[in-house]
Amino acid sequence: QVQLVESGGGLVQAGGSLRLSCAASGRTFSRNPMGWFRQAPGKEREFVASVNWSGGSTYYAYYADSVKGRFTISRDNAKNTVSLQLNSLKPEDTAVYYCAASIRVGVIRGQYDSDYWGQGTQVTVSS
């Protein structure tokens, strides 16, 4: 049974930083895309970032325009984890952040690219 478990959310002031982590169990995702989405109250779940395998030991990242230059996604295949470093946080970054993974070879850019989801972790940025 595949599980994704997020950690690291919390309350932070605007301009601050947080680091989210997601631990996968039940299978490895070293050759599969993993990513992060978020959902703010009253809004649809939106793509934040993904890290995707392109062959060998090469991975490439995609970011939503709204987080480029502020958030950094990374993965540790030995630990089967994916992390998201959130810097220069803004109140509009407040949301529940979800980890996602796919069993397909490809890229995560949208919800339908993902096969597994974590339970979510709350990030609240105060102004």
Side-chain angles (χ1 to χ4, degrees):
Q1 180 182 359
V2 174
Q3 282 191 316
L4 303 177
V5 179
E6 302 100 335
S7 61
L11 173 64
V12 64
Q13 288 189 331
S17 299
L18 283 173
R19 185 173 180 84
L20 308 182
S21 294
C22 171
S25 61
R27 66 160 284 161
T28 60
F29 291 95
S30 59
R31 296 186 176 187
N32 303 101
M34 300 184 77
W36 291 90
F37 290 73
R38 66 186 182 186
Q39 187 167 18
K43 295 188 177 181
E44 293 187 354
R45 190 172 298 188
E46 64 175 2
F47 170 78
V48 175
S50 65
V51 55
N52 312 279
W53 183 62
S54 63
S57 59
T58 304
Y59 295 81
Y60 59 97
Y62 281 124
Y63 295 94
D65 288 344
S66 59
V67 307
K68 276 181 185 175
R70 300 188 299 121
F71 292 6
T72 303
I73 190 170
S74 60
R75 63 191 295 163
D76 184 335
N77 291 330
K79 297 180 179 179
N80 213 20
T81 60
V82 62
S83 298
L84 187 68
Q85 178 67 38
L86 293 68
N87 295 332
S88 302
L89 282 161
K90 304 175 182 179
E92 52 263 43
D93 294 318
T94 295
V96 177
Y97 283 70
Y98 295 92
C99 175
S102 173
I103 60 172
R104 292 162 274 175
V105 176
V107 175
I108 288 178
R109 295 297 299 272
Q111 294 189 59
Y112 300 105
D113 298 326
S114 305
D115 299 301
Y116 298 103
W117 296 89
Q119 81 288 351
T121 186
Q122 178 71 46
V123 171
T124 303
V125 185
S126 64
S127 56

